[in-house]
Amino acid sequence: MVTDPNTSPLRSLLGWINARSDLADNEARRELGDAFEWAEARSVLVPRGSFARILCPACSGHAVRLELHNGNHVVRCTETGIQLVSASAFDRWRVDVGSFAKDISAAMALPETSFRTRREGHLFELGSLDHDGRDKAVFLLAGGWDTEILETSLNALDNLSSRDTGLVLTTAKFPLSLRSDAKHRFIPLEEIMALEEDGLKIDRLSLGKWLRAGHRPRPKRTDAPEWHEIVDRAVSSLKAAPSWGTVQTSNARAIRSWAKDRKIDHKLPKSDRSIVRHFKALNPID
């Protein structure tokens, strides 16, 4: 099976973890490709029953239900008509973050006895890694940058040890505020690992570059003004609110109000147009 050329198996897996979302069987198989069998066998993907509807496998343009037609499982596509499918196409999967964390630890050849779950689904202690003659604790910080989850997980990291915490592998690209955090050395998993047919593989050359460079390996496009991160956090919190809509200027005012409640509104640009341009580019309204 060939993976989607516009993504990668690991990027898809990390995206599902960050979104904390279930996925349909056909989506999982398409995006993981040959690595799907590994993920199922290692319980990285665990079954969660089945979906009542899935995206049409024929055209991907609408939702469909599973039906029986002349003794066969079918879906009705608005473009191509009745299509034969396997009932397993409606199987529902979720990523088991704990199993995924254990496989990261194994890929890095860390001792199994050192593995600890520190916050279920979010923070795992993978073991320790020798770097420059010193043992560095290695953690996995899983999930997107939801403010409450992030703050709770970082507090847990701070409480684990009074010494330098060591390396914190992240499932999401870290926000700008973490780049200036001297205590933790954050490394996005996608920068140092790949998911292949037989499992996770670590790129030790890339890991070495990140270790030598610390948490600022090189300038990237993400080196943007601090207010970009504030807008991203606000949009993440507000998109589920009833007040969030399609009127861009109203949403910009809602972002300012969100920031004002947290006493950080002075960091936003004066122009609502700048705010709108940013959240439309990175967080398009559904």
Side-chain angles (χ1 to χ4, degrees):
M1 181 182 294
V2 178
T3 57
D4 187 331
N6 296 317
T7 184
S8 72
L10 182 59
R11 184 176 302 166
S12 297
L13 200 62
L14 298 180
W16 297 327
I17 291 173
N18 296 336
R20 289 174 286 175
S21 60
D22 292 352
L23 53 145
D25 186 83
N26 58 343
E27 178 189 4
R29 292 180 184 274
R30 181 182 69 249
E31 299 204 24
L32 293 185
D34 293 331
F36 177 89
E37 304 299 335
W38 167 85
E40 183 182 13
R42 298 288 297 174
S43 296
V44 171
L45 286 182
V46 292
R48 298 270 296 176
S50 60
F51 284 103
R53 291 171 174 265
I54 63 169
L55 197 63
C56 178
C59 70
S60 300
H62 58 94
V64 293
R65 293 182 180 275
L66 183 66
E67 300 179 23
L68 275 177
H69 180 73
N70 295 332
N72 297 312
H73 289 107
V74 301
V75 296
R76 296 181 185 273
C77 177
T78 57
E79 294 186 9
T80 60
I82 294 176
Q83 299 289 321
L84 292 173
V85 296
S86 168
S88 64
F90 285 74
D91 286 350
R92 185 175 190 151
W93 298 93
R94 175 170 292 183
V95 181
D96 186 305
V97 186
S99 295
F100 181 59
K102 289 179 181 178
D103 278 295
I104 294 171
S105 179
M108 297 183 72
L110 303 177
E112 291 184 20
T113 53
S114 301
F115 185 90
R116 299 286 187 278
T117 299
R118 296 300 185 180
R119 286 195 68 232
E120 189 68 39
H122 295 294
L123 182 63
F124 303 86
E125 185 171 357
L126 306 183
S128 59
L129 183 72
D130 180 73
H131 176 58
D132 289 340
R134 296 177 59 191
D135 282 341
K136 292 281 189 180
V138 182
F139 294 87
L140 172 67
L141 182 58
W145 299 120
D146 176 275
T147 303
E148 182 178 354
I149 292 174
L150 177 60
E151 289 180 354
T152 305
S153 295
L154 291 180
N155 287 338
L157 275 172
D158 288 337
N159 293 333
L160 285 174
S161 175
S162 58
R163 62 179 174 83
D164 179 10
T165 300
L167 310 179
V168 184
L169 308 180
T170 65
T171 59
K173 293 294 182 73
F174 44 73
L176 292 172
S177 60
L178 296 189
R179 290 187 166 219
S180 60
D181 188 329
K183 182 171 184 181
H184 310 299
R185 184 170 296 182
F186 294 88
I187 304 178
L189 269 174
E190 197 176 341
E191 298 281 352
I192 63 165
M193 281 196 167
L195 178 54
E196 300 178 359
E197 179 181 358
D198 56 346
L200 291 167
K201 306 296 181 184
I202 186 167
D203 183 340
R204 295 197 175 275
L205 180 61
S206 294
L207 175 60
K209 290 179 180 177
W210 277 82
L211 290 174
R212 288 191 297 273
H215 57 277
R216 276 187 184 270
R218 59 188 180 274
K220 287 193 172 183
R221 186 178 61 84
T222 51
D223 288 330
E226 184 181 7
W227 68 266
H228 280 199
E229 181 195 337
I230 294 174
V231 171
D232 290 346
R233 289 169 53 196
V235 171
S236 178
S237 297
L238 294 170
K239 281 186 74 173
S243 59
W244 188 262
T246 58
V247 181
Q248 309 291 10
T249 52
S250 296
N251 289 338
R253 287 195 293 271
I255 289 171
R256 288 192 185 280
S257 178
W258 182 93
K260 185 175 182 180
D261 290 342
R262 289 155 180 80
K263 297 181 172 56
I264 53 176
D265 55 306
H266 63 283
K267 297 182 179 180
L268 294 175
K270 293 181 179 180
S271 170
D272 283 351
R273 183 177 299 177
S274 296
I275 295 176
V276 168
R277 186 183 302 116
H278 178 67
F279 77 69
K280 281 180 67 177
L282 298 184
N283 300 278
I285 296 176
D286 299 329

